[in-house]
Amino acid sequence: MTIVEAPSPNFDARKAVPDTVVLHYTGMESGEAALERLRDPEAKVSAHYLVEEDGRVFRLVAEERRAWHAGAAFWKGVRDINSSSIGIEIVNPGHEFGYRAFPDGQIASVINLLADIRSRWTIDDDRIIGHSDVAPARKIDPGELFPWKRLAESGHGLWVEPPSSPGAPLGRGEEGTGVFALQAGLTRLGFDCAPSGQYDEWTETVVAAFQRHWLQSRFDGVADGETRARLVGLLRAAAGA
């Protein structure tokens, strides 16, 4: 894998060893515009890598440094996600400029890059996540077209497809032990979703983010049987069951 050096000044010192990878889409009209912004000192944003649609990989910030890609975020109890993660920006216009499927060559480069990164750092599969996972109220990238299943089949990340479980869907306004268990499971997976037993707006937002990553056919924030079954399956996979 050839990496093009394109240094960005937008970084500082880490406060933790990286144990997470956060995947983003650029959400801009072109890869050139995204690369320019990630290297602009006035923008105060960056990532460690950018992967173009043609598969080229640009290194912007050394992995040992803290890039500025996640913003206000949370995963598995950690809020300074930038200190504990490596950020990969994947060129795609995003929902604002004509969201589209990610080319095969681009995803092949992402897979190769993940393998390369994981050869240097200990990063578990349940810590290969999207921007929408760590910031569900603010972000929806890399979005429902991102091929998480293909990454998992290549050995990077979690994916399960269990049969749906019985039971009525859970949605906003519901309360009780079922909601508590759902929130507890989402928290165990990594989301910021402390159990309250109340299916509030925040729970709906988190469930929609979960679906956008691990269900993708729908992301309405309603926890139907398929959504809950996938959550249980993922927790088992993460635990090595």
Side-chain angles (χ1 to χ4, degrees):
M1 179 178 61
T2 301
I3 295 180
V4 181
E5 300 294 340
S8 170
N10 300 333
F11 64 87
D12 53 12
R14 284 195 183 276
K15 300 175 184 176
V17 174
D19 61 6
T20 302
V21 172
V22 180
L23 304 181
H24 311 249
Y25 67 37
T26 52
M28 297 183 70
E29 294 184 87
S30 70
E32 292 82 0
L35 188 61
E36 181 178 353
R37 184 167 188 268
L38 292 166
R39 301 176 70 197
D40 179 1
E42 296 298 319
K44 299 188 186 303
V45 294
S46 62
H48 294 90
Y49 298 97
L50 179 141
V51 182
E52 256 288 11
E53 288 189 297
D54 62 8
R56 287 177 296 157
V57 178
F58 295 84
R59 177 165 33 224
L60 285 70
V61 175
E63 292 173 3
E64 294 80 10
R65 300 290 183 254
R66 179 179 180 272
W68 305 338
H69 58 96
F74 178 100
W75 193 253
K76 291 187 178 292
V78 175
R79 294 196 181 276
D80 183 4
I81 296 296
N82 283 338
S83 274
S84 62
S85 68
I86 292 171
I88 301 175
E89 289 278 357
I90 303 164
V91 173
N92 186 289
H95 292 78
E96 185 176 354
F97 297 109
Y99 189 45
R100 58 188 180 228
F102 296 79
D104 287 344
Q106 183 182 41
I107 297 305
S109 288
V110 171
I111 290 169
N112 289 335
L113 179 58
L114 284 169
D116 186 48
I117 291 169
R118 297 178 88 187
S119 72
R120 290 183 289 278
W121 308 100
T122 301
I123 297 171
D124 294 335
D125 284 321
D126 59 353
R127 291 180 181 271
I128 298 175
I129 49 178
H131 202 185
S132 57
D133 297 319
V134 300
R138 298 188 302 110
K139 298 294 181 179
I140 58 174
D141 63 302
E144 65 277 5
L145 296 180
F146 188 75
W148 291 106
K149 180 181 179 181
R150 179 176 167 190
L151 261 65
E153 289 174 344
S154 299
H156 306 295
L158 293 179
W159 188 268
V160 296
E161 292 187 9
S164 296
S165 64
L170 296 173
R172 197 195 295 199
E174 302 274 356
E175 58 182 61
T177 56
V179 177
F180 190 96
L182 172 69
Q183 293 166 327
L186 291 165
T187 300
R188 276 184 58 203
L189 188 61
F191 289 96
D192 185 4
C193 195
S196 67
Q198 304 287 326
Y199 206 116
D200 53 13
E201 181 180 2
W202 177 251
T203 302
E204 182 180 78
T205 298
V206 172
V207 170
F210 171 88
Q211 293 169 325
R212 199 179 290 276
H213 183 151
W214 283 289
L215 183 57
Q216 298 192 304
S217 59
R218 53 184 287 248
F219 33 91
D220 55 8
V222 176
D224 64 343
E226 185 173 6
T227 299
R228 299 200 301 274
R230 289 193 181 222
L231 175 57
V232 171
L234 288 164
L235 291 172
R236 288 173 176 164

